[in-house]
Amino acid sequence: MDTDLQVKAKQLWKEGNELMDVDNYSEAHKKYLKALKINPNYCDAMFNISLAKFLMHDLSGALEMLRKLEKIEQNRIDIFLVHGRIASEYIKLLAEEQRKCVFAAIGIDPNNKGITDLVADINSKIALIEASFGSLGEKLQGNGEVYRTKNQDENKLTVEREEVTRNMLRKSSVNLGSVVGMQHAKKVLNDEFRLLRASESGKYGNMFQNTGIILYGPPGVGKTRLVLAFAGQHNLPVYTVRINEVLDMWTGNSEKNLQKIFDAAIRDPPSLIVIDEIDALGRERLSRDGSDRTLVNQFIVSMDRLREEGKGVMVMGTTNRPFDVDQALRRGGRFQTEIYVQPPDFRDRVELFSFFLSEFELSHDNEAMEILARETELYTPADIEKICREVLLNYVIDNPESIKPEITLNNVLSTIMGYRAGGRTVKLWYERLKESMGKDWFDFEYPELAEDVMKFSKV
Ligand SMILES: Nc1ncnc2c1ncn2[C@@H]1O[C@H](COP(=O)(O)OP(=O)(O)O)[C@@H](O)[C@H]1O
Ligand SMILES: [Mg+2]
C-alpha cells in the first residue's frame, strides 16, 4: 500500500483514539471507519471499532467486527479476550430479553404451549452453557485466576437456570388439563408420580425407585406435550437433554455435558430429566464417528447412578421409533415403564375438536363434534389443532369486519377436506412398523401395539 495512505490511515486512527479518551465514541467510530476505508485490513482500526461499538451498546455490531478481525489476525490474545468478554455481555442481554418475552407471554395466555417450549429451550441452552464452562474449568485447573472466574460464572448460571425452571414453569401453569384425552398415559404417569414422591422421601429404600419412563407412539400424538404438562402439573423442574446439543466435537465433552445435566437434576429433586427423541441417542453418535458407544455408555452409567443418588429424579424419554432405542437402555431396570401413546380414538377426537374450537358456539354442539370426529380417523391431535387454526384463519380472511367470529360445521368440514395430510402420517407409521418388524416380536413384547398395527395399517 501507498505509504502516504498508510500515514493518513494511522493519523485518523490516532484522532479516533483521542476522541475515545474524551468518551466521544460516535465521532471516534467515524474516524476509525474512515481509516478502515483507506486500509481495509487495518487491524487496529477494526479492533477499536469493535470497542467503540461496544461502548455505544451495539454488542452485535462489535461481535461482527471482531469475527472479521479474527480471520485476519489469528494470534492476538487481546482480540479473543475482548471478543469473549463482549460475547458474555451479549449472552446476559439476550437472557434478559428472553426472560421478558416469557413473562410477557405468560401475561397474555399462561396456558399457551409455546411458553413451555420456549422455557424448555432456554433451559437446555443454559444447561449446555454451564456444561461447557464445567469442562473448561477442568482444563484450566491450576490456573487460579481463570478458574476462579469460571466458578463465579457457573454459580450465576445455575441460579439463573433455577429461576427459569422453577418460577416460569410454575407460573406458566401448563398442566394436565391442557392435554386432551390420553387417559391411559395420564394414569400411568400419575402413579409414577406417587412412586417418585415415595422414593424421594427415602423411607422405602430403592423399592419404589423407577429411574425411567419411555413414551412411544406415532408422531404428533402429544408425547412431548404430555411430559411437559406433567412437569407443570407437579411443579417439577425440567432438565431437557437434546441429543444434538449434547453432542460436542471434542472427545469426552458430550459425556461431560450429559453428566452435568444429571448432576444438576440430582441436586434439585424432585426433578425431571426429559430426553425428546431418545432414539437419537446412540444413533447420531454412531453415524458421526462409526464406532464408539461412549455416549450411550455414559447415559447408562448416569441412569444407574440415579438408583443410588437420584432419589426423586426421573428420566422421561419420548420416541416415534421405540425399536431404535438402544437395547441396553431398555434393560436392567433403566427404563422400566414404557407407555404406548395411541392416536386419539373417537371420543378423544370429539374432545379435541371441542377443545380447539372452544371459542365458538359450535363447540357445544355435540352432534357436530361427533361428525367431525368420524371424519378424522387416525388424525393426530396435532392435525386437529392445525385444522382448527386454519378454520379460524379462513374465517377471519373471509369476514374481516366480524367482531365475534362464528363458524359452522361446514366451515370445519371443508377445511378437513382440504387438509390432505391428515391421518397419513399415522397410517404410514403403522405400515412401516409392520414392514420392518417380525410379527413374533410384537406378539411378545408389545401386544397392544401389535393389535393397532394390524388394525390401522389396513384402514
Ligand atoms: N392431547 C393433546 N391435547 C391437546 N393438544 C395436543 C395433544 N397432543 C398434541 N397436541 C398438540 O399437537 C402438537 C404436537 O404434539 P407433540 O407433543 O409434539 O407430539 P409428539 O411428541 O407425540 O410428536 C402439540 O404442539 C400440541 O399443540
Ligand atoms: Mg415429540
Side-chain angles (χ1 to χ4, degrees):
M1 161 172 294
D2 190 323
T3 19
D4 267 4
L5 286 180
Q6 240 166 9
V7 170
K8 184 123 195 278
K10 184 145 194 187
Q11 180 56 35
L12 283 162
W13 179 75
K14 276 193 183 150
E15 286 170 24
N17 291 354
E18 278 159 22
L19 288 160
M20 286 287 268
D21 284 343
V22 294
D23 299 337
N24 191 345
Y25 312 126
S26 74
E27 287 305 314
H29 185 245
K30 283 183 197 155
K31 295 276 182 194
Y32 296 136
L33 280 181
K34 276 187 194 156
L36 198 60
K37 213 164 187 180
I38 296 171
N39 176 2
N41 283 334
Y42 194 171
C43 291
D44 286 340
M46 289 167 98
F47 188 76
N48 283 7
I49 285 174
S50 52
L51 284 181
K53 283 186 188 292
F54 171 63
L55 292 166
M56 292 188 292
H57 305 290
D58 174 9
L59 300 192
S60 67
L63 292 174
E64 199 183 326
M65 184 53 74
L66 286 163
R67 281 183 218 116
K68 271 190 210 150
L69 180 53
E70 278 161 12
K71 288 206 184 102
I72 306 169
E73 278 277 19
Q74 292 166 358
N75 286 316
R76 266 181 58 184
I77 188 168
D78 54 345
I79 298 175
F80 287 110
L81 293 181
V82 167
H83 190 165
R85 210 153 272 255
I86 297 179
S88 74
E89 286 303 310
Y90 198 52
I91 293 175
K92 267 190 243 158
L93 198 79
L94 292 181
E96 189 49 38
E97 206 169 278
Q98 286 170 330
R99 194 196 300 274
K100 280 185 190 149
C101 291
V102 172
F103 277 120
I106 289 169
I108 298 167
D109 172 11
N111 295 320
N112 191 292
K113 173 176 177 296
I115 299 172
T116 354
D117 278 357
L118 181 60
V119 171
D121 192 53
I122 296 171
N123 284 338
S124 72
K125 297 256 160 50
I126 292 174
L128 267 175
I129 292 172
E130 197 204 14
S132 46
F133 271 111
S135 54
L136 189 63
E138 277 153 41
K139 275 186 203 140
L140 295 174
Q141 208 147 19
N143 182 341
E145 187 63 27
V146 183
Y147 196 55
R148 260 206 313 281
T149 329
K150 170 243 148 195
N151 269 345
Q152 280 164 6
D153 282 354
E154 193 177 52
N155 286 340
K156 208 152 71 199
L157 284 164
T158 312
V159 170
E160 200 152 54
R161 188 241 318 276
E162 293 200 334
E163 270 171 31
V164 171
T165 26
R166 288 194 177 282
N167 297 340
M168 293 190 179
L169 259 186
R170 187 166 296 158
K171 275 189 188 149
S172 76
S173 72
V174 177
N175 54 35
L176 293 174
S178 72
V179 180
V180 179
M182 304 181 83
Q183 292 311 332
H184 168 69
K186 280 183 191 166
K187 185 185 172 307
V188 179
L189 287 187
N190 275 330
D191 293 345
E192 291 293 340
F193 183 68
R194 277 196 231 125
L195 298 185
L196 182 76
R197 295 319 297 247
S199 96
E200 194 205 351
S201 74
K203 271 189 241 159
Y204 311 99
N206 284 347
M207 204 158 90
F208 294 124
Q209 188 88 1
N210 178 11
T211 41
I213 299 175
I214 288 187
L215 290 98
Y216 66 95
V221 292
K223 301 178 292 294
T224 305
R225 185 183 179 102
L226 179 63
V227 167
L228 294 176
F230 172 78
Q233 179 86 24
H234 300 297
N235 275 324
L236 300 173
V238 178
Y239 293 85
T240 310
V241 180
R242 289 209 175 78
I243 305 300
N244 285 332
E245 290 174 9
V246 167
L247 288 175
D248 190 308
M249 62 201 248
W250 305 106
T251 320
N253 273 4
S254 310
E255 290 74 39
K256 277 191 200 132
N257 292 345
L258 193 66
Q259 204 178 337
K260 291 279 170 183
I261 294 174
F262 273 79
D263 286 346
I266 287 171
R267 280 198 300 266
D268 199 15
S271 61
L272 205 61
I273 297 171
V274 174
I275 305 159
D276 225 5
E277 316 292 343
I278 193 169
D279 48 280
L281 189 71
R283 188 156 45 88
E284 292 286 322
R285 184 68 168 200
L286 287 177
S287 64
R288 274 160 59 96
D289 50 21
S291 61
D292 78 5
R293 290 182 37 84
T294 41
L295 189 64
V296 179
N297 291 339
Q298 174 64 50
F299 191 77
I300 290 170
V301 169
S302 305
M303 290 287 288
D304 292 349
R305 185 179 153 211
L306 287 184
R307 226 166 308 149
E308 300 307 317
E309 307 170 45
K311 303 265 176 283
V313 180
M314 196 150 65
V315 184
M316 279 196 193
T318 70
T319 177
N320 306 329
R321 309 178 59 83
F323 37 84
D324 274 356
V325 176
D326 201 278
Q327 287 294 323
L329 293 180
R330 296 168 50 203
R331 281 196 302 265
R334 282 157 200 143
F335 285 95
Q336 279 182 14
T337 309
E338 291 183 291
I339 306 177
Y340 168 40
V341 185
Q342 288 174 293
D345 64 12
F346 178 75
R347 277 286 129 217
D348 291 337
R349 294 196 301 274
V350 168
E351 241 190 278
L352 281 162
F353 273 107
S354 47
F355 178 78
F356 288 123
L357 295 174
S358 63
E359 299 155 50
F360 306 110
E361 277 298 310
L362 185 68
S363 65
H364 303 295
D365 180 346
N366 199 46
E367 215 172 302
M369 294 300 108
E370 289 187 352
I371 291 171
L372 295 173
R374 262 196 292 280
E375 288 298 320
T376 47
E377 178 153 22
L378 289 192
Y379 282 48
T380 60
D383 293 324
I384 294 176
E385 183 180 22
K386 264 192 216 137
I387 289 168
C388 294
R389 280 222 190 105
E390 210 169 301
V391 171
L392 179 60
L393 198 68
N394 289 340
Y395 179 89
V396 174
I397 292 169
D398 293 342
N399 306 278
E401 248 92 84
S402 156
I403 295 166
K404 187 176 183 308
E406 207 36 81
I407 52 155
T408 64
L409 178 59
N410 275 337
N411 290 147
V412 190
L413 282 173
S414 65
T415 307
I416 292 174
M417 299 289 270
Y419 185 83
R420 307 204 159 223
R424 285 294 300 154
T425 9
V426 171
K427 188 167 175 326
L428 269 177
W429 191 78
Y430 285 105
E431 279 171 2
R432 293 244 168 85
L433 217 55
K434 192 178 174 188
E435 277 164 25
S436 59
M437 297 290 149
K439 191 172 171 301
D440 294 347
W441 181 83
F442 278 124
D443 284 346
F444 178 60
E445 220 175 343
Y446 296 113
E448 281 171 307
L449 186 55
E451 212 173 282
D452 280 0
V453 168
M454 292 311 145
K455 193 162 80 192
F456 294 138
S457 58
K458 284 198 214 93
V459 173

